Amino acid sequence: MNTNILLTGGRAPVTLELARLFSGAGHRVFVADSLPHHLCSYSRSVFKNFLVPPPRFDPTGFIDALVDIIETEKIDLLIPTCEEIFYIAHGLDRLTPLCKVLAEPLDKLDLLHNKWEFICQVNKLGLPAPKTWLIQSDLDLRDILAIPTPTKIVLKPVYSRFATNVHILDRPVGMIPALEINAQKTWVAQEFIAGKHYCTYSIAHQGKLTAHAVYPTTYTADAGSCIYFESIEHSQLLNWVEIFVLDRQFTGQIAFDFIEAEDGTLYPLECNPRAISAIHLFRVDDRLDRAFFNNTERLIQPQLRQNSMLAMAMIVYGLPSALSSQQLGDWMTKFGQGKDVIWQLADPIPFFHLWVVLWQFWQMSRDGNINLQQASTRDIEWDGEEIGK
């Protein structure tokens, strides 16, 4: 049965991918975002776009707009894709009477989004986790850095994204970084574990997986987001995710970052209870839409060795990295085989509109004295603050 689907977060490449996958499966796709220009603005896969208030700065207006869209367009399923999910979760009491919403309540999401609370959940399950300490004051930081082991330690905010503000310190610690530490901005210190980095993405309904994908981290934008994706099979990671999701009785999209140590032990680093770039590994024939509707008897996974990339980022970030590490041959192979996540011959305008989107982010970064990545999420971020206050 074909349905009306509302996606939020039209700025994200994964949202464009979802729009194409749902449209290709015969569903009618609507997109809402608080930016006037985003990747889905002129996609042929989107039936109608809506400009809504920024959830971070006007959470009530944001929910009001979604309610109006759902009622007017007779939406059957609302799928958040980015951090606006936390504001949608806060407004579930108004949204769920109108349509199905793929989002857990805010308190449940916070236990996953918060990097300290997530590790606490892993520890309660008895699964291996990196040694982690909560930093709530400068004194906490000094005490932790005085501990002789581990040999390397990673500092990162409890709430953060794109691997921003991550500091890796060698022992003995020389210069202590100047960090903003207060009640509103706490940090975690985590032992550094060497090994292979993986990302997983899953869709679950009441603790049961309906879709799953894994890719290793190879090329990234500096030390941040991955920009090349290739699907692999990793049964131990699948088993780990199944255990965790079942314990939490989780419903929605959920993603994890892992390190696999040399002895094969899997260490979860953090969780993102939302969409990530693994969605680019699915094709229309995989019928990912069935996983969202919990209408599949099999676990939906992308074909092995499916690959996608952010082509522009592979040139800007991946090529210099390949040259410096003498991996040019590998980069050329991956770039030649990878499918750009934006360009699609049957839906070409988003590729050209991308330049307008980037210009918009550049203006926002200039006006706000922030970088482009920060500008891209400034109006949808949630860092644990009380919403509406």
Side-chain angles (χ1 to χ4, degrees), residues 321-332:
S321 174
L323 290 171
S324 63
S325 60
Q326 298 183 334
Q327 296 290 321
L328 181 59
D330 178 74
W331 180 90
M332 292 179 67

Side-chain angles (χ1 to χ4, degrees), residues 197-251:
H197 189 182
Y198 295 96
C199 296
T200 71
Y201 164 80
S202 307
I203 301 170
H205 295 270
Q206 295 179 315
K208 181 182 178 181
L209 298 190
T210 55
H212 180 74
V214 182
Y215 63 84
T217 297
T218 51
Y219 292 97
T220 62
D222 291 331
S225 304
C226 195
I227 56 177
Y228 179 84
F229 324 100
E230 183 174 357
S231 60
I232 65 165
E233 184 177 8
H234 198 304
S235 58
Q236 293 91 341
L237 282 173
L238 173 58
N239 182 62
W240 193 101
V241 174
E242 286 178 328
I243 292 171
F244 187 89
V245 167
L246 178 62
D247 177 76
R248 304 305 305 165
Q249 283 294 292
F250 185 82
T251 296

Side-chain angles (χ1 to χ4, degrees), residues 14 81 85 109 112-113 118 197-204 209 211-215 237 240-241 244-245 250 252-258 268-279:
V14 295
T81 62
I85 188 173
L109 291 180
L112 305 175
H113 182 49
F118 168 62
H197 189 182
Y198 295 96
C199 296
T200 71
Y201 164 80
S202 307
I203 301 170
L209 298 190
H212 180 74
V214 182
Y215 63 84
L237 282 173
W240 193 101
V241 174
F244 187 89
V245 167
F250 185 82
Q253 301 178 87
I254 191 166
F256 301 92
D257 288 356
F258 287 93
L269 301 181
E270 58 187 65
C271 174
N272 292 304
R274 53 175 174 78
I276 67 163
S277 298
I279 287 173

Side-chain angles (χ1 to χ4, degrees), residues 5-7 9-10 15 19 29-33 38 40 46 48-50:
I5 298 170
L6 175 60
L7 304 176
T15 312
V29 179
F30 302 79
V31 173
D33 202 298
H38 54 79
C40 296
V46 177
K48 193 173 183 180
N49 276 282
F50 297 90

Side-chain angles (χ1 to χ4, degrees), residues 304-323:
L304 293 182
R305 303 303 170 189
Q306 286 281 12
N307 48 59
S308 297
M309 63 179 174
L310 290 161
M312 186 186 304
M314 277 288 281
I315 295 172
V316 174
Y317 298 102
L319 181 56
S321 174
L323 290 171

Side-chain angles (χ1 to χ4, degrees), residues 3-24:
T3 55
N4 290 341
I5 298 170
L6 175 60
L7 304 176
T8 56
R11 69 193 68 192
V14 295
T15 312
L16 176 63
E17 192 77 64
L18 279 177
R20 289 167 170 172
L21 292 173
F22 278 118
S23 178

